[in-house]
C-alpha cells in the first residue's frame, strides 16, 4: 500500500510546536515579528501575502505588512528594507516576488539583512547552505526535508533524483539532501533520458512546473515521491509534476497535490522567523 504523505497534518504538527515556542518567547518578553512587503497588485501575490499574515496571527507572530503601489521606485523599496533591517520588532523580512520591472530583484534580496532573511534567498544564506552550515534555509526545500524526516525516511546512502534546478527549490533541496548523505542527481531541461534518471531514484523530488510530466511508469517500484509542482489545469484543478494515479501504483510513499508540500512552505517561513527571534535572545546573553 502506498503511503500518502499528509503535508497538512505534518504542517499542523510543526505549527503547534511553533505556537508553543512563541509562548515561551513571550514569557521572556519577546514576540517574533515578520515583515512582509508586497509591491503592486499581482493577484496571486496578494493571496500568498494574506495567507502568510493569517498564518502568523494563528501562531502569535507579529505580522507587519507593507503594501506598496506598483509604481514604487527601487530606492523607496530599499529605504523600507533598511528601516526594517534596523527595527528590533522584526526578526524576519520577506519581499514577495515577483517585483515590478523597474526594481532589480537581486539588489533587493541582497539588501535584506542576512540575519533577517526569512526566505533564505540572500547570497550569504545560500553560501551557508552550500558549505553545510545553514542559517536561514529556503522554505519550500526546507519543508520537503522536514516532511521526509517526519515520515521516517532516512536519506543516508540513498539515490536522490531532483528534477528542476531553480534557486528556490531544485538547487537548495539537492544541497540539503547531500548534507543528509544522499547521492544526488540534479536533472533539468537539457538532461538526456530523463526517464532513465528518474528510474534510478530511491527518492524522487520533482520541481519542474509542468503538469504530470513525470510518468508513473518511470518510477522505480518502492521509491518515495515528493512532488513540489503546483500546476493549475483548466479552471480550478491543481496537479503536480508527477502523474499521480500511475505513480501511486509504484511508489512506497508519495505527496499529493494539493495537500503535500504546499502547506509546508508557509510553515517553514513561520519556523524561520521564530528561530531568528530565538537567536536574538541568545545573542543578548
Ligand atoms: P522554475 O521554473 O524556476 O524551474 C523549473 C525547473 O524545471 C528548471 O530548472 C527547468 O530546467 C526544469 N524543467 C523544465 N522543463 C523541464 C523538462 N521538460 N524536463 C526536465 N526539467 C525541466 O520553477 P520553480 O523551481 O520555481 O518551481 C517548480 C514547481 O514547484 C512549480 O510548479 C511551482 O509552482 C512549484 N512550487 C511550489 C511551491 C510550494 O510551496 N509548494 C513553492 C515553489 C514552487 P532549466 O533550468 O534547464 O530551464
Amino acid at each position: 500500500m502506498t503511503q500518502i504523505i499528509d503535508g497538512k497534518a505534518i504542517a499542523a504538527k510543526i505549527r503547534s510546536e511553533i505556537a508553543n515556542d512563541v509562548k515561551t518567547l513571550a514569557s521572556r518578553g519577546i514576540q517574533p515579528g515578520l515583515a512582509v512587503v508586497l509591491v503592486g497588485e499581482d493577484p496571486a501575490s496578494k493571496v500568498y501575502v494574506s495567507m502568510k499574515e493569517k498564518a502568523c496571527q494563528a501562531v502569535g507572530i507579529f505580522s507587519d505588512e507593507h503594501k506598496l503601489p506598483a509604481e514604487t521606485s527601487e530606492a523607496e523599496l530599499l529605504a523600507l528594507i533598511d528601516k526594517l533591517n534596523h527595527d528590533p520588532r522584526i526578526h524576519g523580512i520577506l519581499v514577495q516576488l515577483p517585483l515590478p520591472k523597474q526594481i532589480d530583484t537581486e539588489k533587493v534580496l541582497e539588501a535584506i539583512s542576512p540575519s533577517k532573511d526569512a526566505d533564505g534567498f540572500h547570497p550569504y544564506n545560500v553560501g551557508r547552505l552550500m558549505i553545510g552550515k545553514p542559517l536561514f534555509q529556503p522554505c519550500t526545500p526546507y519543508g520537503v526535508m522536514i516532511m521526509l524526516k517526519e515520515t521516517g525516511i532516512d536519506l543516508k546512502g540513498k539515490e536522490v533524483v531532483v528534477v528542476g534546478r531553480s534557486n528556490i527549490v531544485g538547487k537548495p533541496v539537492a544541497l540539503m539532501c547531500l548534507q543528509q548523505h544522499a547521492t544526488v542527481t540534479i536533472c533539468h531541461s537539457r538532461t538526456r533520458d530523463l526517464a532513465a534518471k528518474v528510474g534510478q531514484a530511491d527518492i524522487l523530488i520533482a520541481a519542474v512546473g509542468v503538469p504530470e510530466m513525470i510518468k508513473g511508469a518511470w518510477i522505480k517500484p518502492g521509491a518515495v515521491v515528493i512532488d513540489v509542482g503546483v500546476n493549475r489545469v483548466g479552471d480550478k484543478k491543481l496537479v503536480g509534476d508527477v502523474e499521480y494515479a500511475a505513480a501511486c501504483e509504484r511508489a512506497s510513499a508519495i505527496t499529493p497535490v494539493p495537500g503535500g508540500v504546499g502547506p509546508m512552505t508557509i510553515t517553514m517561513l513561520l519556523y524561520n522567523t521564530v528561530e531568528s527571534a530565538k537567536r536574538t535572545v541568545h545573542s543578548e546573553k
Side-chain angles (χ1 to χ4, degrees):
M1 259 274 286
T2 308
Q3 180 187 0
I4 309 301
I5 302 175
D6 185 346
K8 274 195 215 155
I10 298 171
K13 175 178 176 247
I14 307 284
R15 287 188 198 202
S16 99
E17 289 166 8
I18 292 170
N20 282 335
D21 283 357
V22 171
K23 281 195 197 119
T24 308
L25 283 166
S27 69
R28 306 173 82 161
I30 290 168
Q31 183 183 25
L34 175 69
V36 179
V37 182
L38 172 66
V39 186
E41 300 289 330
D42 179 64
S45 294
K46 278 173 140 176
V47 172
Y48 293 141
V49 165
S50 112
M51 282 165 71
K52 286 166 189 172
E53 188 186 19
K54 283 194 195 119
C56 280
Q57 283 162 359
V59 296
I61 293 176
F62 163 54
S63 163
D64 182 28
E65 231 186 84
H66 296 263
K67 289 187 176 150
L68 308 180
E71 59 277 9
T72 300
S73 70
E74 188 178 283
E76 284 167 324
L77 179 56
L78 291 174
L80 171 62
I81 290 171
D82 186 55
K83 206 171 107 209
L84 296 170
N85 281 342
H86 292 97
D87 185 339
R89 296 171 309 159
I90 301 300
H91 305 93
I93 302 170
L94 177 148
V95 177
Q96 186 66 45
L97 302 179
L99 288 168
K101 283 192 299 293
Q102 74 275 15
I103 299 176
D104 179 343
T105 301
E106 259 175 51
K107 209 165 169 183
V108 169
L109 295 181
E110 289 187 30
I112 296 171
S113 164
S115 62
K116 295 192 178 186
D117 177 30
D119 253 342
F121 293 159
H122 191 288
Y124 173 82
N125 283 311
V126 176
R128 294 277 305 228
L129 179 62
M130 178 80 194
I131 61 168
K133 294 190 171 151
L135 184 64
F136 285 99
Q137 304 195 62
C139 300
T140 301
Y142 201 1
V144 167
M145 300 313 286
I146 297 292
M147 288 182 99
L148 288 168
K149 184 170 166 233
E150 291 287 327
T151 313
I153 294 159
D154 184 11
L155 279 86
K156 207 178 299 157
K158 301 274 171 62
E159 297 287 337
V160 171
V161 175
V162 179
V163 189
R165 57 170 165 180
S166 73
N167 289 330
I168 63 166
V169 190
K171 278 186 214 162
V173 86
L175 284 172
M176 290 174 192
C177 292
L178 187 63
Q179 189 66 18
Q180 297 296 317
H181 313 294
T183 302
V184 184
T185 304
I186 306 176
C187 303
H188 46 80
S189 65
R190 319 297 155 82
T191 296
R192 281 181 292 162
D193 201 356
L194 185 62
K197 298 277 188 302
V198 166
Q200 288 165 5
D202 299 317
I203 297 162
L204 171 70
I205 302 175
V208 187
V210 179
E212 300 196 321
M213 61 105 33
I214 295 176
K215 302 301 164 204
W218 299 355
I219 291 163
K220 178 159 94 177
V224 172
V225 177
I226 306 289
D227 192 348
V228 183
V230 181
N231 309 291
R232 197 166 289 280
V233 290
D235 265 359
K236 287 220 169 82
K237 198 177 170 217
L238 286 182
V239 299
D241 293 339
V242 178
E243 197 188 17
Y244 184 75
C248 283
E249 301 286 314
R250 297 171 77 97
S252 61
I254 187 165
T255 59
V257 178
V261 177
M264 293 303 293
T265 298
I266 293 183
T267 303
M268 299 320 292
L269 175 68
L270 306 176
Y271 179 87
N272 277 350
T273 304
V274 172
E275 289 303 301
S276 175
K278 286 185 196 168
R279 283 195 285 270
T280 63
V281 179
H282 296 138
S283 66
E284 277 165 14
K285 275 186 189 163

